[in-house]
Amino acid sequence: MNPKMKELRAKAMALPLQPGVYIMKNAQGEIIYIGKAKKLKNRVSQYFGSQNNHTEKVRRMVDNVDDFEYIITDSEFECLILECSLIKQHTPKYNILLKDDKGYSYIRVTDEEWRRLSYVLQKADDGARYIGPYKSSFYVKSSVDEANKIFGLPTCYRRFPEDFGRFRPCLNFHIKQCCAPCTGRVKLTDYNERVENALEFLSGDSSKMMKELQERMTAAAEALDFEKAARYRDQIASMKKLRDKQKVVNINIDELDVIAVAREGSRGSVNVLRFSDSRLYDTENFIINDVDDEVDFRSQFILRYYTLRSEIPAHITLDGEIEDLENTELWLTDKKGKRVYINIPQRGVQKNLVDMCQKNAYEALGQLKGVTGKQLSVLDELKNLLGLDRLPEYIESYDISNLAGADNVAGMVVFENARPLKSAYRKFKIKSFSGQDDFGSMAEVLTRRLDEYKKAQEEGVETGFGRIPDLILLDGGKGQVSAVLPVVAASGLNIPVFGMVKDDHHRTRAIVSDTGEIAIRPNRAVFTFVTNIQDEVHRYAITFNRSQRKRVLGSSLEEIPGIGKKRAKELMRFFRTIKKISTASVEELEQAPGMTHPAALSVYNYFHEDS
């Protein structure tokens, strides 16, 4: 704890109740954090009061504060402008900082007989032709990739004409994305025409380009050059396909930025989709550590992002709330010179764009963990729905299975990062009692499981039973949950426990706690995920129960003279049930694999001893 806490709190309590900017410094006099406040006294004094409600990031920052300064402003708007200016000037350690690494991109055309098109981030003195610069590397890369595909230009490392005939055409040729000059069958004049068409496509209007290709196709067909006409036809079809693909993100707003946040623990991901002339022209993603409050994080990101960007759109769409929205709009308007609107859509086209943006943000986070963005998103949705403190990356689910109280068993399945982890599945035979008692069975299974965790901890094992789940889901309702909660509490572990209940048609309906039900049907991704868990644990438990019943029935057949383990197994496989075996005739029994007449007679006599 900071030894100067009392001194700093006393200084904070003497601050005025006016808007301003506060500047935190460490013992070396370095600025480590800059913030703004509507009322300086109230905001700054919170840092040096109780630390219980502070996040880990704030506690670390407060521990390093040796002194602070403040600047009073006339308004909250001036306060925001000053904060942005000071953060840009000093780049404090505990503020959200973004690197201004948006350089320029170029289209490169090689200086050789068989020219190639590519995109690069820097010009080089290599004799090549460079077209640009462009501010959006996303736009340049995607456009060059599409141009190469549409006009069948090679993107491989083969050299022409040196490699003519040395290799067979690659896959791109067979899927009509390359004209395969490596075969030596492509004329240089035809190849150069493709390159010029690609450059015209990159630098001009695609509609105009399509019209010209249509005219060339017609002329080639009239001249009976059907091969060339077919090539133009394929290029037109590819351009139409690209245009249809772009319509997926087409909007009716000339300038729009869509910003969405994804969070996993203390790590955040922000995705930005930028639209101009109603089309997506750029996308950026940022990974930021030490994220605490999502509203504050989103607010700080917007201020930092547009401090470093000269192009500010007329409309900005967000996935959630920010602090001081009105003043943020005024700041952006002042910076742009025209009115800027911030919108948080609840439905419609822009809401769909926000969802797409957030999926990209989750995808970036998922790549760091080796999972997909969809899997990370559903875990975050489940976390929010159940009010969990952390992401349920490791989930254990339990189900009890018996037949009228006999062969009482349980199954445990595990889902790690929203995927089944079959190596961690476990089976249990109920030992403490006989008969049917699902509540008692569930309590016994969880008691044994948590006891195994204690043993594993003593042995230093951190896998299998040595790992504590982030969430326990029981196949059952409030009764099962109430039976297990005391077991978990007695272990001293803090593990959230919920049940999964089904409707009259045996389909997942809701998640239950010890206090009530939580509807999951409106949350489609979570509903599907929980349904998969419930179906999997039920399948695993009932499969184990059936195997136990077959084992018991098989062992009873082995009591018959002349019937060993192998014949008992073949009889069960052939007749499926004991009842069919007991009612079968000697002739029918002889038809089972491995059965002889004496063995069949022995089985028949065993089940017909009274007659």
Side-chain angles (χ1 to χ4, degrees):
M1 186 175 177
N2 193 329
K4 299 185 69 175
M5 188 70 77
K6 290 184 178 179
E7 179 184 337
L8 292 168
R9 179 165 177 78
K11 182 177 178 180
M13 294 301 292
L15 292 175
L17 290 170
Q18 291 179 259
V21 173
Y22 53 92
I23 304 166
M24 304 289 192
K25 296 183 176 181
N26 62 16
Q28 289 75 42
E30 299 169 339
I31 296 175
I32 60 174
Y33 186 75
I34 296 173
K36 65 180 185 300
K38 296 178 181 179
K39 297 180 180 180
L40 281 168
K41 177 182 176 180
N42 294 349
R43 184 72 184 94
V44 178
S45 61
Q46 288 178 354
Y47 287 108
F48 308 113
S50 172
Q51 299 292 296
N52 295 333
N53 295 326
H54 287 168
T55 61
E56 181 61 29
K57 178 183 176 181
V58 173
R59 282 196 289 269
R60 290 201 308 269
M61 187 270 289
V62 171
D63 285 343
N64 285 283
V65 175
D66 184 72
D67 196 9
F68 66 85
E69 297 174 356
Y70 63 94
I71 303 172
I72 297 174
T73 59
D74 292 332
S75 67
E76 295 173 22
F77 179 61
E78 286 184 7
C79 178
L80 185 147
I81 294 175
L82 179 59
E83 181 200 29
C84 290
S85 176
L86 290 174
I87 290 175
K88 185 177 181 180
Q89 180 182 347
H90 297 287
T91 60
K93 176 181 178 181
Y94 289 100
N95 285 99
I96 291 178
L97 302 175
L98 305 178
K99 292 182 179 180
D100 188 15
D101 56 357
K102 288 295 286 185
Y104 293 104
S105 300
Y106 300 86
I107 298 172
R108 180 175 180 266
V109 187
T110 59
D111 181 24
E112 54 187 329
E113 190 177 22
W114 297 78
R115 293 174 293 171
R116 302 287 192 97
L117 301 184
S118 61
Y119 91 99
V120 292
L121 297 176
Q122 292 181 339
K123 294 173 74 172
D125 187 15
D126 56 0
R129 174 189 171 193
Y130 290 88
I131 304 172
Y134 300 93
K135 289 188 176 180
S136 171
S137 59
F138 166 81
Y139 172 79
V140 176
K141 182 180 184 302
S142 57
S143 297
V144 170
D145 286 345
E146 291 295 344
N148 282 326
K149 290 176 183 177
I150 290 171
F151 298 99
L153 299 177
T155 56
C156 60
Y157 295 101
R158 296 176 183 178
R159 301 183 62 180
F160 313 126
E162 292 89 345
D163 291 337
F164 280 172
R166 293 183 59 190
F167 306 97
R168 286 189 293 181
C170 63
L171 177 64
N172 284 346
F173 169 73
H174 297 288
I175 61 175
K176 297 185 178 180
Q177 290 184 2
C178 180
C179 63
C182 56
T183 60
R185 299 172 186 171
V186 179
K187 295 179 181 179
L188 181 59
T189 53
D190 290 342
Y191 182 84
N192 281 329
E193 183 185 359
R194 290 174 181 269
V195 174
E196 292 301 326
N197 288 343
L199 291 173
E200 189 176 347
F201 167 77
L202 291 169
S203 59
D205 183 8
S206 61
S207 299
K208 181 181 177 182
M209 184 67 205
M210 285 177 63
K211 186 177 180 181
E212 291 180 3
L213 289 174
Q214 187 76 37
E215 292 172 354
R216 294 177 192 176
M217 181 182 72
T218 303
E222 290 175 351
L224 303 181
D225 191 348
F226 298 116
E227 185 177 348
K228 183 177 286 189
R231 185 171 75 239
Y232 289 137
R233 178 203 62 201
D234 293 341
Q235 291 173 0
I236 293 169
S238 297
M239 292 179 71
K240 285 182 178 178
K241 186 177 180 181
L242 172 63
R243 187 173 62 182
D244 292 340
K245 179 181 177 183
Q246 289 175 332
K247 285 180 181 177
V248 174
V249 291
N250 197 18
I251 56 173
N252 296 320
I253 299 176
D254 289 339
E255 295 180 322
L256 172 68
D257 281 3
V258 181
I259 301 175
V261 174
R263 191 174 161 200
E264 190 266 313
S266 63
R267 179 178 285 169
S269 171
V270 187
N271 189 252
V272 183
L273 300 178
R274 312 202 74 180
F275 295 85
S276 179
D277 296 326
S278 298
R279 291 189 184 277
L280 178 67
Y281 78 91
D282 198 8
T283 178
E284 296 180 83
N285 204 91
F286 302 86
I287 300 294
I288 299 170
N289 295 317
D290 291 327
V291 176
D292 295 325
D293 179 74
E294 197 167 296
V295 174
D296 177 64
F297 170 55
R298 190 181 291 109
S299 306
Q300 288 195 46
F301 174 84
I302 290 170
L303 297 178
R304 301 296 87 74
Y305 182 79
Y306 289 109
T307 298
L308 300 173
R309 299 290 180 270
S310 57
E311 305 88 3
I312 298 176
H315 297 268
I316 299 173
T317 294
L318 306 178
D319 66 323
E321 300 290 336
I322 62 169
E323 295 176 348
D324 209 358
L325 186 148
E326 184 178 345
N327 280 322
T328 302
E329 281 187 334
L330 287 174
W331 175 71
L332 290 166
T333 298
D334 182 68
K335 195 169 169 59
K336 179 179 175 63
K338 292 182 180 180
R339 185 74 168 91
V340 175
Y341 300 89
I342 296 177
N343 179 38
I344 305 171
Q346 302 302 314
R347 62 183 65 86
V349 175
Q350 291 199 40
K351 180 61 170 67
N352 294 337
L353 291 176
V354 166
D355 292 342
M356 181 175 71
C357 189
Q358 194 168 57
K359 286 179 181 177
N360 285 321
Y362 273 115
E363 194 65 38
L365 273 181
Q367 288 177 3
L368 297 176
K369 295 177 63 65
V371 299
T372 66
K374 185 177 180 181
Q375 291 164 340
L376 205 58
S377 176
V378 73
L379 291 179
D380 185 67
E381 197 174 337
L382 182 62
K383 167 182 170 288
N384 295 331
L385 184 68
L386 302 183
L388 306 179
D389 295 331
R390 59 182 178 180
L391 209 68
E393 298 178 5
Y394 196 80
I395 301 173
E396 289 182 0
S397 183
Y398 296 83
D399 187 23
I400 305 299
S401 182
N402 58 67
L403 182 63
D407 303 316
N408 211 358
V409 299
M412 178 191 97
V413 301
V414 175
F415 278 68
E416 184 178 32
N417 290 323
R419 293 176 294 194
L421 182 64
K422 294 194 175 183
S423 62
Y425 284 18
R426 295 293 184 270
K427 302 171 183 175
F428 299 85
K429 295 180 184 177
I430 304 305
K431 300 178 178 179
S432 59
F433 60 89
S434 59
Q436 187 170 356
D437 183 353
D438 285 358
F439 302 159
S441 298
M442 201 68 87
E444 178 193 326
V445 169
L446 266 296
T447 299
R448 289 164 56 186
R449 188 267 179 264
L450 297 177
D451 286 344
E452 289 294 328
Y453 169 72
K454 292 178 182 178
K455 293 179 183 177
Q457 289 294 294
E458 293 172 358
E459 297 170 0
V461 178
E462 296 182 355
T463 57
F465 282 141
R467 185 174 178 182
I468 276 296
D470 301 314
L471 172 66
I472 291 176
L473 292 176
L474 310 176
D475 190 355
K478 186 177 177 180
Q480 279 86 347
V481 175
S482 298
V484 166
L485 283 176
V487 175
V488 176
S491 71
L493 299 170
N494 182 22
I495 308 173
V497 179
F498 292 87
M500 301 174 292
V501 291
K502 297 180 179 178
D503 58 21
D504 295 337
H505 301 286
H506 213 65
R507 295 176 300 195
T508 304
R509 187 184 82 242
I511 293 178
V512 298
S513 65
D514 59 329
T515 56
E517 290 191 3
I518 303 170
I520 58 173
R521 285 191 182 274
N523 306 75
R524 185 62 194 175
V526 168
F527 174 74
T528 303
F529 178 53
V530 172
T531 299
N532 289 341
I533 293 177
Q534 190 170 24
D535 290 346
E536 175 67 359
V537 72
H538 178 73
R539 178 200 67 79
Y540 190 66
I542 201 169
T543 300
F544 180 40
N545 177 264
R546 286 170 179 167
S547 69
Q548 288 296 106
R549 295 207 305 266
K550 284 185 177 181
R551 186 192 61 77
V552 172
L553 292 173
S555 62
S556 66
L557 290 174
E558 293 174 32
E559 297 175 0
I560 303 173
I563 304 300
K565 186 175 182 179
K566 186 175 181 180
R567 277 181 174 165
K569 186 177 180 180
E570 292 294 346
L571 280 169
M572 286 300 301
R573 184 178 296 173
F574 187 79
F575 288 98
R576 309 294 293 178
T577 66
I578 287 289
K579 184 177 180 180
K580 288 183 178 180
I581 296 174
S582 65
T583 57
S585 65
V586 175
E587 290 76 13
E588 290 172 333
L589 290 168
E590 286 179 0
Q591 294 176 11
M595 290 294 289
T596 61
H597 179 74
L601 191 61
S602 181
V603 172
Y604 181 84
N605 290 336
Y606 179 82
F607 287 105
H608 297 79
E609 187 175 358
D610 294 339
S611 61

